[in-house]
Amino acid sequence: MIHCTVPYDVPRFESEDGGFELWLAGDNQRGSSGYVPEAWEEFRHQFKASKRAKAFLGLGDYCDFLRPSLRPLLKGALGKDDSARRMMDKAILKQHDETIYDMAFLKGYTLGLHEGHHNWTTLDGINLDQRLSTALDARFMGFAATTRLVLSAKYSTDINKTAKNIAKRTHVVTLLTTHGNANGRKVAGALSWAENNLANAFIADIYAFGHGCKSGNSAPFERSEVRRIGAAGLRRTVPRIIAVGGFCRGWTDGWTSDYVEQAGMSPQPLGWAKISFRLVHRKETALALGCPGRDTKSLEIDAVNKFFTEQNQD
């Protein structure tokens, strides 16, 4: 598991049209028969159109290379023929260059990229998900990672708001993200998998995963932590779980069928996820006498699934 701290300065943190956005996507499986480039183009359009401070986090399976169960079989067959292996590597690298081109607009915005199941390592030892991370100037986050997201807003401490007295107000959000693993045929099963295996074992604010091409989010419970310092009592937080969807259609038109169709799994909508962070004003109530307390600023978090819908002609 990879662990990282990622700081961002957020302008207009308190504005309705301000704040910070974290876009999450994965399971493109570019090169497969089910990949829908129009869905990725819609994601590109919406990401570039957003004027807020933003970052991108990739959840793996950007291409449709062999899954782990099949890679040893192929590499074993080519184990005694380096020339044939290099020919295959050359063809795969060419396709990977196209993936890098497709994702180039994310350069400078990418918080990190996770490794997925559909990956390839060349004879020279090049891991293609690491190669993609390098091309996008992004962290390679392995299969699973924790992130301490540090969001800072500058404000003036002077009544005249001069540039001399500028301070930062910082809010920290913790994430546990992973490509994911087998998590059931239904969306509820995928979210339950994350609740049982992630939220119940690791304490974080947000849990995000891919793998199943399912889209959904939940707040499974209010977490109560017994305070270790300060006044006795409980510290309450709301963990959020989000399955980010994908860009690969399981049921395709034509005579060819992908494994999703052959297994009779439900077709899933194409999509991605977006988490928004914004400071909001709240007036706390004093514990004694129920009197209004001082004006405070809290971090509001909204997690939504976004979908690609085609314009069908009836």
Side-chain angles (χ1 to χ4, degrees), residues 266-278:
S266 299
Q268 298 296 317
L270 307 172
W272 55 94
K274 184 176 73 171
I275 305 175
S276 302
F277 306 87
R278 192 172 68 87

Side-chain angles (χ1 to χ4, degrees), residues 250-262:
W251 291 64
T252 57
D253 296 330
W255 62 269
T256 58
S257 298
D258 210 335
Y259 69 92
V260 174
E261 185 175 340
Q262 294 172 8

Side-chain angles (χ1 to χ4, degrees), residues 141-289:
M141 302 183 74
F143 194 79
T146 65
T147 302
R148 181 190 295 148
L149 191 63
V150 182
L151 304 177
S152 300
K154 294 181 180 180
Y155 68 98
S156 176
T157 59
D158 188 83
I159 192 171
N160 296 318
K161 296 185 178 181
T162 62
K164 296 180 181 179
N165 300 303
I166 298 296
K168 279 188 177 183
R169 179 180 287 112
T170 298
H171 294 264
V172 176
V173 181
T174 57
L175 298 92
L176 174 62
T177 53
T178 177
H179 172 65
N181 214 317
N183 48 45
R185 290 182 174 234
K186 295 185 178 296
V187 174
L191 295 173
S192 179
W193 171 86
E195 179 182 347
N196 292 337
N197 295 282
L198 303 181
N200 284 340
F202 301 90
I203 296 177
D205 297 315
I206 297 170
Y207 308 85
F209 63 99
H211 176 70
C213 294
K214 298 179 180 68
S215 298
N217 67 79
S218 69
F221 48 77
E222 181 183 63
R223 177 177 282 129
S224 298
E225 179 184 357
V226 179
R227 293 180 182 272
R228 294 178 180 271
I229 60 174
L234 299 175
R235 177 180 178 269
R236 296 182 175 89
T237 56
V238 179
R240 293 165 173 83
I241 298 174
I242 189 159
V244 304
F247 299 85
C248 186
R249 179 166 283 137
W251 291 64
T252 57
D253 296 330
W255 62 269
T256 58
S257 298
D258 210 335
Y259 69 92
V260 174
E261 185 175 340
Q262 294 172 8
M265 299 179 183
S266 299
Q268 298 296 317
L270 307 172
W272 55 94
K274 184 176 73 171
I275 305 175
S276 302
F277 306 87
R278 192 172 68 87
L279 284 183
V280 296
H281 290 266
R282 290 198 175 96
K283 204 123 187 175
E284 293 182 347
T285 301
L287 293 179
L289 305 178

Side-chain angles (χ1 to χ4, degrees), residues 74-85:
L74 181 59
K75 290 182 177 180
L78 298 175
K80 296 182 180 180
D81 192 339
D82 286 355
S83 178
R85 174 69 186 278

